[in-house]
Amino acid sequence: MTVGTSETGAATAGAARLLPPATEESIRMLLSEGHTDAEIRRRTGVDVRTAARRRKEGGFGPATRRRRPNRKHPKEQQVQALITEGLSNGEVHRRTGADRSAIRRIRQQLGIAYVPPKLPPLEEKWEQRTRPVEGGHLEWLGERAKRSGTPVMRYREKSHSPAGIAFRQRTGRDPVGQVRAECDYPHCVAPAHVDDEPGRQRTREQLRYLTGGAERPARCRHGHDQNEHGRYQPDGTAYCEACRRERKRSRRTADEQPGGPA
Ligand SMILES: [Zn+2]
Ligand SMILES: [Zn+2]
C-alpha cells in the first residue's frame, strides 16, 4: 500500500501530483469512506496536502471518521466477547469497567445490535410478585384465593398456580397433582421448596424410613392396594387415600341430611 517516490513522479517534472492509479483509487476509496487526511497519509503514504486536494477536487466533504478503527482498547477482546455473548452495554461496562463510549464503538465495529432478552411473560409476571424471605423462602405478593389464602395468579384470563410456575422453573416439567411447599413458611413459592404430589410422597417416605419407620403394608384394612392409594403424611405416617375419601364422603352425606326427609 505504501507508495514511494515513483520514477514516474520524479521523471515527470511539474507533475509530482500524479500518483499511480492504484494509489489514486485507494485515496478515493478512503475519502468516500470518510477517513481523515492524516489517516489517508498513514495508509497510503501520500502527504496530507495531497489527500486534502483530492478531497476538494472530488467533492468528498469533511471526514466523518474521527477515530482510527484499529485503535485497540486495552480490554477490547474481553468487551468483544461479552458483546458477542449478547450482553448489554451497561452489563459489559459493569463487568469490564471499560469506558461506555469505547463499548459503543466496539459494538458498532462488530455490527451487533443489543437485543434485550425476553423472559416469558408468565414467568416475568410471577417474578414481579415474589419477594425473597430469610431462610431461602419466597413470599407471594400477588393475589390469593379468598378462603384458603393459596397464591393464585391470573394471566391472560386464566388462573395459574404460582407454586406450579416455581415447580416448572426448578424441574423444567409439568407437575403431577397439586404443587405446594412443605417448608415452615406458609404458602412459600420458592422453586427449591415446592414439590408436586409424587415428589412430596417420595420425600415423606424417605422421612418414614429415616425415622425408623417400617415399610407400609401392601393393602389397607379395607383391602385397597397401597401402591395406588397409599399416601404419607408430612411426618411419614402412612394412610390410605381411598379410605380417607370414603370417610369424607359419608361425613358430608350425613351433614347434608340432618333430619332426613320430612
Ligand atoms: Zn420455603
Ligand atoms: Zn383403604
Side-chain angles (χ1 to χ4, degrees), residues 219-226 229 240-244 246:
R219 289 182 181 276
C220 76
R221 281 186 287 165
H222 297 96
H224 299 123
D225 180 1
Q226 293 305 283
H229 300 290
C240 173
E241 174 64 13
C243 287
R244 194 190 65 88
E246 269 170 29

Side-chain angles (χ1 to χ4, degrees), residues 9 25 34 36 40 51 61 68 70 76 78 94 102 105-106 108 120 132 145 162 174 208 243 251:
E25 181 54 32
T36 60
I40 292 168
R68 285 191 201 164
N70 61 352
E76 185 106 2
Q78 206 188 339
R94 206 180 60 76
R105 170 184 62 80
I106 295 168
Q108 210 173 21
D174 285 336
R208 178 184 176 87
C243 287
R251 214 178 305 137

Side-chain angles (χ1 to χ4, degrees), residues 47-251:
D47 66 36
V48 285
R49 279 176 311 169
T50 307
R53 202 176 305 119
R54 294 292 188 277
R55 179 185 303 282
K56 206 174 154 191
E57 286 164 358
F60 287 101
T64 52
R65 294 196 189 203
R66 289 282 140 220
R67 291 166 182 273
R68 285 191 201 164
N70 61 352
R71 205 171 84 178
K72 288 264 190 283
H73 188 276
K75 288 182 178 161
E76 185 106 2
Q77 279 195 323
Q78 206 188 339
V79 170
Q80 276 180 351
L82 293 175
I83 288 173
T84 310
E85 251 177 59
L87 298 185
S88 68
N89 287 2
E91 186 58 26
V92 174
H93 168 71
R94 206 180 60 76
R95 293 204 194 177
T96 61
D99 197 74
R100 283 171 197 273
S101 64
I103 296 170
R104 274 198 299 275
R105 170 184 62 80
I106 295 168
R107 177 182 295 284
Q108 210 173 21
Q109 283 167 10
L110 289 171
I112 298 176
Y114 172 62
V115 182
K118 259 206 192 134
L119 246 190
L122 180 73
E123 278 74 12
E124 195 179 77
K125 188 169 179 180
W126 176 90
E127 175 131 61
Q128 285 163 356
R129 283 159 181 74
T130 58
R131 189 180 65 184
V133 181
E134 210 189 310
H137 308 292
L138 210 56
E139 183 188 0
W140 180 248
L141 304 171
E143 211 183 318
R144 285 170 187 267
K146 283 212 173 62
R147 263 202 280 173
S148 58
T150 306
V152 288
M153 192 177 95
R154 246 181 276 258
Y155 179 72
R156 293 201 177 147
E157 323 215 336
K158 268 181 78 184
S159 185
H160 294 262
S161 152
I165 295 170
F167 179 86
R168 244 174 260 115
Q169 277 189 24
R170 176 167 63 81
T171 63
R173 65 174 175 87
D174 285 336
V176 177
Q178 210 184 53
V179 178
R180 56 172 193 269
E182 279 193 357
C183 59
D184 55 6
Y185 193 82
H187 299 299
C188 177
V189 293
H193 294 181
V194 298
D195 220 337
D196 65 351
E197 187 61 36
R200 208 156 37 237
Q201 292 301 321
R202 271 194 305 276
T203 311
R204 292 175 179 185
E205 184 181 19
Q206 280 163 10
L207 182 71
R208 178 184 176 87
Y209 297 141
L210 283 173
T211 52
E215 204 179 324
R216 69 180 170 202
R219 289 182 181 276
C220 76
R221 281 186 287 165
H222 297 96
H224 299 123
D225 180 1
Q226 293 305 283
N227 271 331
E228 191 189 341
H229 300 290
R231 302 281 189 277
Y232 297 98
Q233 281 170 4
D235 65 357
T237 308
Y239 68 94
C240 173
E241 174 64 13
C243 287
R244 194 190 65 88
R245 257 203 309 266
E246 269 170 29
R247 275 197 305 273
K248 210 171 160 184
R249 201 167 353 179
S250 57
R251 214 178 305 137

Side-chain angles (χ1 to χ4, degrees), residues 5-23:
T5 350
S6 68
E7 279 178 41
T8 334
T12 329
R17 284 167 219 157
L18 216 68
L19 299 166
T23 309

